[in-house]
Amino acid sequence: MSNVPWWASEDFWRKTAIWVTAGMAVVLVVLTFDTVAAITAGHSRVPAYEVINKRIYYRMSTARGFQEPVIGADAPLFGKMLSPEEAEAMVSHGKLTLQARNCASCHTILGNGAYYAPDLTKAWLDPAWAGESAREYLMVKFLMDPTTNARGFGGKRRMPNLHLTEDEAKAVVAFLKWTSAIDTTGFPRNFTPIAQEGDR
Amino acid sequence: MGALGPEGLNVMAPMGPEGLDAFLLAVIAGALVVVFGAVYAACFAFGRLFRSQILMQVAYVCFALLIGTVYVLSTSLHLEGIWNVLMVLLLVAYFVAPRMIWRLTAATHE
Amino acid sequence: MNTAKLTGSAALDGGQRLAVKYFVVAIVLFGAQILFGLLAGFQYLQPDFLYGIVDFSVNRMVHINAMVVWMLFGFIGSIYWLIEDESGTEIVGLKLGNLAFWLFTIAVAIVVVVYLVVQTGPGTIESIWWINEGREYIEAPRWADVGIVVCVLIFFYNVAATFTKGRWTGIGGVLVLDLVAVAGMYLTGMFYTPNLSMDQFWWWWVIHLWVEATWEVLVGCIMAWGLIKTLGARRQIVTTWLYIEVALMLGSGILGLGHHYFWIGTPEYWLTVGGFFSALEPVPLVAMVVHAVYDSGVHRFKSPNHPALAWLIAHAFGNFFGAGVWGFMHTLPQVNVYTHGTQWSASHGHFAFFGAYATMNIAVFYLAAQKWRGNVNFGAGLVDNGWKWKWSLGLLNGGVLGMVMALLVSGYDQVFIERALEGATWSGFFKAQQNAWYLQGMWWRQVFGYMTFAGFFLLVWDLMTIGVRETRPAVFHTEVAEHAA
């Protein structure tokens, strides 16, 4: 046992395990500080909540090689300009509704969740909502009674009625509008957004 | 944004039916990288264990296949710059790791 | 009852008696996992089945939550199983441990009942506290989170204090430090934020750093103890290798976290970090291959517990293919941008969780069953030729592997149609879901799901009966070595 060279000894590897783990943890913590700053709402990657007062475009960036959200002119949701506090409250109500109604056990959002129903990341920009101006009302109508307004695109799969109140449905729409403005580094790839008025 | 380089994701941009062949190649190559890496390691280890020249040669054939797979992975994804550096590092790591692990195993069992 | 040998709980030490309780609940939850998986899978084929009564969302949530909890119960049980032996002393807080077990089990039962009966709540913070947190894998409401943390802390106290009272070993040291990380990571998932990117950033600390870091280390500790006990491996070598594996796994796994930060709003340097460390993550697996080959040349493998050994081999292969091959296949961002959030992920998830963790737990169940039956031979020449364990091994592994392959076909079809041809829109999603190839994959997944369930049924039957009529004592390798000396 004394023949074991130092680089194969128990002691050496105990220390190595500790140092490697600690080193990686330190790198992770450093990157976490940087990332948390970048993804705080209103910073470089994640929009401020009052972005729901604006039009959100999705355009190809030649510099980056993929699509990215672009914030446009005023386009108040449900015709009402909100203060930053009101906007945050509404988006937050929407996210709470999303969690309490267990949406991510059928849908993915930012690609995470279940695979039974379509991804919600770009729900706000999806061409399924016919035109830009009618979209928010169509979304509310659908959310409040998805069984009747089911659009299985030819299939039998329907969203169950989760009995959203009008406030909840509107808040979910606000949350999804805000989500669509997150810079997801080009995910989902090749996304074809809804026809955006004044954009083409 | 240096990380992936605009080129990095750009190459997948033409993913229509034609890009899909590249995609299929890439996922198969990705899977085979790990498989060949492990078969190389296993043959190498058995070669050492039985002092078998033939097994060692099989191991090196596997590693040659691994190089080929990594090449396919790199070309099908049109990897550039830092991503090709990563591929080379991967090859070096996969080549060296079994040797180092073998030495380490032998030494710890002294 | 045979008086010559101790059987049942009389054959066990205090920690092991507690462990058996955890194992029983783990197996029940394993059954629930498969059952609700079958229901959810069937809804893919017949969307009207239980529509509006027990929707897909509910079935899927119970399916994955049962999985997480049965893994945890299996791990906790395994550690209680080995702790008195490893520390060389009686467990410090057995009563407390029993209390925590019942608290944990009752909490799990209440959570499941609420999932099934109440299902959803209004969009308020109270719903998240009392009904459903709505975040994948950790849907358990906040009150249950608090309960889980309390139970894990009791568990941690028991482990740390028992080792302190007895003797500290390398395995004990790694175990205790790892449990600190297990509990600490869980805390990062216990807060609410309206910011989805922030939410998912920390959510991955729980999911990834549990599954690809701390759980791996936990399994490494259990495996290390198992090697010493069942194969008579020398402690110093095993401990050294536990450290080496920890260095390799955490060296690649901690920053491997980056492969979850490609598309959730996080900065682009994560593409490089995630790609680089994901490429390294198979290296520990390669190390295990080399090491296993070396060992096979040094030791004569003669196990008195064939089912446990077979499940350990299934673990080695499952971990390698499920985590290694299936992981690296779609982990580079250039590929992942297409596969992320498709059935591709489901294929990888089924393979990796089963291959790396379910197999390990089942192996420990067989070790426990052996001692429960009075340490009789589970090796060659079992009554009935051991057909039950062999068939359950085949059906469970074949079933899961079949599901994995079927989901991969569906996943590829989904990527092809939804992501490549249709521009990742909702209509593209549904077009893919109705494609013949996709549906056929789903259909086969269901068939293999039934096969898995049959394997589970046999597994339970076997665990209840194996070795009952066996009288030959188990001869462990260590003892062989001692007799020879």
Side-chain angles (χ1 to χ4, degrees):
Chain A
M1 247 172 258
S2 53
N3 299 332
V4 176
W6 62 269
W7 48 267
S9 69
E10 187 180 330
D11 190 49
F12 171 76
W13 280 102
R14 180 172 55 236
K15 285 172 183 152
T16 305
I18 292 169
W19 279 106
V20 166
T21 307
M24 290 300 162
V26 167
V27 175
L28 178 61
V29 168
V30 170
L31 290 177
T32 295
F33 273 104
D34 186 77
T35 299
V36 165
I39 63 174
T40 300
H43 288 69
S44 56
R45 313 269 318 179
V46 175
Y49 299 106
E50 57 265 34
V51 79
I52 60 172
N53 289 325
K54 305 280 182 186
R55 177 165 288 153
I56 295 157
Y57 293 103
Y58 203 50
R59 287 195 180 127
M60 192 68 185
S61 156
T62 39
R64 300 173 77 194
F66 45 77
Q67 292 154 297
E68 60 182 12
V70 176
I71 314 302
D74 285 352
L77 192 61
F78 304 110
K80 188 167 180 258
M81 287 295 273
L82 300 177
S83 70
E85 293 75 31
E86 288 169 327
E88 176 167 355
M90 192 171 185
V91 170
S92 183
H93 188 206
K95 181 159 181 281
L96 281 170
T97 305
L98 213 85
Q99 288 185 229
R101 293 301 202 287
N102 202 13
C103 300
S105 281
C106 283
H107 294 273
T108 46
I109 186 159
L110 299 179
N112 293 311
Y115 318 110
Y116 193 68
D119 189 72
L120 297 178
T121 314
K122 302 295 176 197
W124 174 255
L125 296 170
D126 200 275
W129 304 111
E132 218 187 344
S133 45
R135 155 178 62 184
E136 54 208 46
Y137 296 102
L138 284 174
M139 289 174 95
V140 170
K141 200 174 153 208
F142 174 76
L143 283 168
M144 290 180 68
D145 187 2
T147 312
T148 316
N149 297 309
R151 34 192 318 153
F153 299 87
K156 283 207 297 180
R157 229 180 276 175
R158 291 171 299 163
M159 180 168 152
N161 193 341
L162 298 167
H163 307 286
L164 270 73
T165 64
E166 190 173 348
D167 277 353
E168 285 176 331
K170 284 183 167 176
V172 168
V173 174
F175 173 74
L176 292 174
K177 184 175 182 183
W178 171 82
T179 302
S180 74
I182 296 176
D183 186 342
T184 53
T185 320
F187 175 85
R189 194 83 193 130
N190 293 344
F191 180 69
T192 318
I194 191 170
Q196 294 160 101
E197 287 157 21
D199 191 33
R200 302 267 157 94
Chain B
M1 309 299 271
L4 188 61
E7 332 81 36
L9 278 177
N10 227 356
V11 281
M12 291 292 278
M15 175 137 156
E18 73 283 4
L20 210 72
D21 291 340
F23 173 80
L24 185 60
L25 267 181
V27 293
I28 293 173
L32 286 180
V33 163
V34 183
V35 172
F36 282 134
V39 177
Y40 158 71
C43 289
F44 172 86
F46 275 116
R48 281 280 164 92
L49 187 65
F50 300 128
R51 296 177 208 289
S52 157
Q53 275 304 313
I54 296 172
L55 273 171
M56 289 308 255
Q57 277 158 10
V58 174
Y60 291 123
V61 169
C62 281
F63 196 80
L65 288 171
L66 177 61
I67 296 174
T69 327
V70 169
Y71 178 77
V72 171
L73 185 65
S74 169
T75 50
S76 60
L77 292 177
H78 304 274
L79 297 185
E80 290 177 20
I82 193 169
W83 291 94
N84 276 329
V85 176
L86 170 62
M87 290 299 123
V88 173
L89 282 177
L90 186 151
L91 280 175
V92 172
Y94 274 63
F95 185 78
V96 177
R99 299 166 168 268
M100 286 170 42
I101 300 287
W102 181 266
R103 282 193 66 183
L104 196 54
T105 314
T108 49
H109 284 256
E110 276 296 313
Chain C
M1 191 59 63
N2 192 334
T3 48
K5 61 179 183 187
L6 285 173
T7 58
S9 61
L12 309 180
D13 65 36
Q16 290 173 340
R17 282 198 288 276
L18 180 51
V20 170
K21 292 180 188 165
Y22 274 101
F23 293 154
V24 169
V25 177
I27 291 168
V28 170
L29 289 169
F30 184 21
Q33 181 203 356
I34 300 176
L35 190 68
F36 282 90
L38 285 175
L39 291 176
F42 193 70
Q43 285 171 324
Y44 266 100
L45 304 172
Q46 291 296 334
D48 289 336
F49 177 66
L50 293 179
Y51 174 79
I53 303 160
V54 188
D55 285 308
F56 177 88
S57 52
V58 177
N59 289 323
R60 202 266 188 176
M61 172 169 61
V62 179
H63 173 60
I64 61 172
N65 280 234
M67 186 270 290
V68 172
V69 179
W70 94 258
M71 301 284 164
L72 271 181
F73 269 58
F75 297 150
I76 293 177
S78 301
I79 291 158
Y80 274 132
W81 183 266
L82 63 83
I83 191 163
E84 293 200 6
D85 179 82
E86 183 65 14
S87 65
T89 185
E90 276 185 17
I91 195 164
V92 171
L94 189 56
K95 276 194 183 140
L96 202 58
N98 265 308
L99 178 71
F101 165 77
W102 286 109
L103 280 178
F104 205 163
T105 305
I106 291 166
V108 168
I110 294 172
V111 167
V112 172
V113 169
V114 171
Y115 279 174
L116 290 174
V117 178
V118 185
Q119 299 187 351
T120 58
T124 59
I125 202 81
E126 285 73 30
S127 295
I128 283 164
W129 264 92
W130 305 110
I131 299 170
N132 178 345
E133 202 188 329
R135 297 161 81 207
E136 196 186 6
Y137 295 111
I138 50 173
E139 281 98 341
R142 191 60 37 79
W143 74 264
D145 286 346
V146 175
I148 289 169
V149 170
V150 170
C151 291
V152 170
L153 284 178
I154 292 175
F155 175 57
F156 172 77
Y157 160 78
N158 253 340
V159 175
T162 305
F163 277 113
T164 306
K165 184 180 138 206
R167 60 159 189 257
W168 278 100
T169 59
I171 296 175
V174 174
L175 199 56
V176 167
L177 287 177
D178 193 51
L179 286 179
V180 176
V182 169
M185 293 308 143
Y186 197 76
L187 294 177
T188 63
M190 284 175 58
F191 72 103
Y192 169 78
T193 164
N195 182 341
L196 183 66
S197 289
M198 196 68 81
D199 177 322
Q200 292 202 357
F201 179 85
W202 291 107
W203 175 75
W204 279 118
W205 274 56
V206 188
I207 309 304
H208 174 94
L209 291 179
W210 263 23
V211 173
E212 281 176 71
T214 51
W215 282 18
E216 296 258 15
V217 173
L218 220 53
V219 164
C221 291
I222 298 166
M223 182 83 128
W225 177 82
L227 287 174
I228 295 173
K229 283 291 128 186
T230 58
L231 295 177
R234 218 161 67 214
R235 178 174 285 279
Q236 195 200 7
I237 298 175
V238 171
T239 312
T240 307
W241 274 90
L242 179 61
Y243 296 140
I244 294 172
E245 285 295 335
V246 168
L248 290 176
M249 284 189 298
L250 298 186
S252 60
I254 290 180
L255 288 176
L257 179 59
H259 61 224
H260 302 295
Y261 292 162
F262 293 163
W263 325 115
I264 63 166
T266 33
E268 274 152 55
Y269 52 74
W270 285 109
L271 297 174
T272 322
V273 175
F276 182 79
F277 285 93
S278 303
L280 289 181
E281 276 189 276
V283 171
L285 299 171
V286 170
M288 278 187 245
V289 170
V290 175
H291 194 186
V293 170
Y294 185 96
D295 274 349
S296 72
V298 174
H299 303 286
R300 293 164 296 123
F301 284 120
K302 242 201 210 157
S303 170
N305 192 328
H306 283 184
L309 187 65
W311 277 103
L312 282 181
I313 293 168
H315 164 80
F317 279 94
N319 201 6
F320 173 74
F321 281 98
V325 177
W326 254 243
F328 192 63
M329 188 155 71
H330 69 151
T331 195
L332 290 178
Q334 291 87 345
V335 173
N336 192 258
V337 73
Y338 293 102
T339 58
H340 179 52
T342 66
Q343 296 295 344
W344 209 290
S345 316
S347 176
H348 170 53
H350 279 78
F351 208 170
F353 272 117
F354 180 82
Y357 298 120
T359 48
M360 187 70 200
N361 275 334
I362 296 171
V364 177
F365 296 162
Y366 272 106
L367 288 180
Q370 183 169 37
K371 192 145 190 216
W372 182 267
R373 297 274 138 71
N375 238 349
V376 291
N377 172 52
F378 275 15
L382 267 173
V383 181
D384 296 338
N385 204 22
W387 71 272
K388 286 198 287 280
W389 78 259
K390 287 173 186 165
W391 274 88
S392 81
L393 177 85
L395 287 170
L396 278 167
N397 283 287
V400 172
L401 197 64
M403 288 196 285
V404 164
M405 292 303 173
L407 287 169
L408 192 66
V409 170
S410 294
Y412 181 72
D413 194 53
Q414 188 180 359
V415 168
F416 179 78
I417 293 169
E418 175 191 330
R419 299 284 168 87
L421 298 181
E422 296 288 324
T425 58
W426 285 14
S427 77
F429 173 85
F430 283 106
K431 211 171 259 184
Q433 303 290 314
Q434 290 153 36
N435 183 270
W437 280 88
Y438 182 95
L439 284 172
Q440 209 161 78
M442 285 296 156
W443 196 85
W444 280 107
R445 186 271 292 270
Q446 194 67 12
V447 170
F448 283 111
Y450 295 133
M451 186 167 156
T452 310
F453 191 73
F456 169 76
F457 175 79
L458 268 183
L459 174 73
V460 174
W461 186 14
D462 190 47
L463 283 169
M464 291 195 307
T465 53
I466 187 171
V468 165
R469 283 180 287 156
E470 181 66 58
T471 48
R472 294 169 296 162
V475 182
F476 284 91
H477 195 76
T478 15
E479 293 160 22
V480 176
E482 275 159 18
H483 289 310

